[in-house]
Amino acid sequence: MSGEVRFHLDESVPLPAVIAGALRRAGVDVTTTAEAGLRMQPDWAQWAYARQSGRVLVTCDADFLRAHDRDDDHPGIVFYEQRARGVGYVIEWLLLIHSVLSPEEMRGKVQFI
């Protein structure tokens, strides 16, 4: 797997269209739950989509931390607590991750922001 980190914003991420729009303007490949046709689907469907499409899962849902504990064969997770982080902060961190880490460096890892 080479190239750039690609993201998937799961349903727990507030204002996904705002975050995705900012990332896209910066040239980042990102999908949202709605765009992937996964609204109201269970966590395992988000997890499967991210894994199959090779996208780092961006989430506020701690269930994915437990999924990582069971199986660390995934493209990566960016986790943050929704109440603790504003949209601008999340965008800045995702842009930083995209600019400094490769897909190989994110693979099987959880990045807390």
Side-chain angles (χ1 to χ4, degrees):
M1 177 190 284
S2 62
E4 298 180 326
V5 171
R6 301 179 313 145
F7 297 107
H8 174 65
L9 309 177
D10 90 337
E11 207 160 26
S12 69
V13 172
L15 301 172
V18 172
I19 295 172
L23 294 176
R24 287 181 182 132
R25 284 189 293 282
V28 177
D29 185 339
V30 58
T31 59
T32 66
T33 293
E35 294 164 352
L38 296 169
R39 290 200 62 201
M40 311 264 303
Q41 295 298 309
D43 287 348
W44 66 263
Q46 303 282 342
W47 186 243
Y49 175 80
R51 291 174 74 165
Q52 291 168 356
S53 63
R55 294 179 179 279
V56 171
L57 182 68
V58 181
T59 186
C60 301
D61 185 341
D63 288 342
F64 291 109
L65 299 178
R66 289 183 281 282
H68 165 76
D69 288 341
R70 289 188 304 273
D71 180 4
D72 65 358
D73 182 23
H74 56 79
I77 298 170
V78 173
F79 178 84
Y80 68 99
E81 292 188 21
Q82 183 177 346
R83 293 179 304 272
R85 302 292 179 227
V87 171
Y89 179 92
V90 172
I91 292 167
E92 286 178 20
W93 267 98
L94 294 176
L95 289 173
L96 179 62
I97 289 167
H98 182 264
S99 69
V100 301
L101 296 176
S102 69
E104 293 83 10
E105 291 169 316
M106 278 300 301
R107 183 147 198 81
K109 306 283 190 304
V110 176
Q111 177 67 54
F112 293 89
I113 63 171

